Amino acid sequence: MDAAPESHFGWTFLTNHARVLAVIADKRNVRIRDIALHCRLTERAVQKIISDLEEDGYLSHSRKGRGNIYRVDSSKVLRHPAEAGLTVAALLSLLVRDEADRNRVLQDARRR
């Protein structure tokens, strides 16, 4: 992964849990250090979030050598009653589409 993005202060629309899950869904063998950099969190915070996600069945992992391979259960429904029926897959598809659009805009800007 690249260097950490610029720091941000104030509230955001996505939770840290959603950010961590999106990073893991994008790269199943990502290191906790890289998740922390990308999400602007401490490694300890990322470990706690991964533990939360595993405890509730949204995520599982297996060891491969010195690293982990994560598996996201995309069929799980989001927890909040206002999001009733919305699955992890639906959430991730929105985030992935947004990320692809953002990367395309950045690449176009760099070419100019």
Side-chain angles (χ1 to χ4, degrees), residues 15-110:
T15 66
N16 290 334
H17 284 66
R19 285 188 191 92
V20 168
L21 191 64
V23 171
I24 290 171
D26 187 48
K27 186 175 180 187
R28 294 179 40 202
N29 64 339
V30 66
R31 298 179 314 167
I32 287 176
R33 173 178 291 148
D34 294 329
I35 298 169
L37 284 171
H38 183 81
C39 297
R40 300 182 195 133
L41 299 168
T42 65
E43 290 181 35
R44 181 67 189 120
V46 171
Q47 289 171 338
K48 173 69 171 109
I49 290 169
I50 288 172
S51 177
D52 290 345
L53 293 170
E54 286 185 321
E55 186 176 304
D56 286 344
Y58 289 90
L59 184 65
S60 61
H61 78 276
S62 58
R63 296 287 294 172
K64 182 172 183 183
R66 294 176 50 199
N68 291 319
I69 302 295
Y70 296 97
R71 187 184 75 71
V72 175
D73 184 349
S74 58
S75 67
K76 289 281 286 186
V77 176
L78 301 184
R79 294 170 38 124
H80 196 281
E83 298 148 357
L86 185 64
T87 64
V88 169
L91 173 66
L92 292 174
S93 72
L94 292 171
L95 296 175
V96 168
R97 184 172 37 227
D98 177 59
E99 184 74 18
D101 290 344
R102 196 170 344 133
N103 286 338
R104 193 171 23 259
V105 168
L106 287 172
Q107 287 175 358
D108 288 347
R110 288 181 185 140

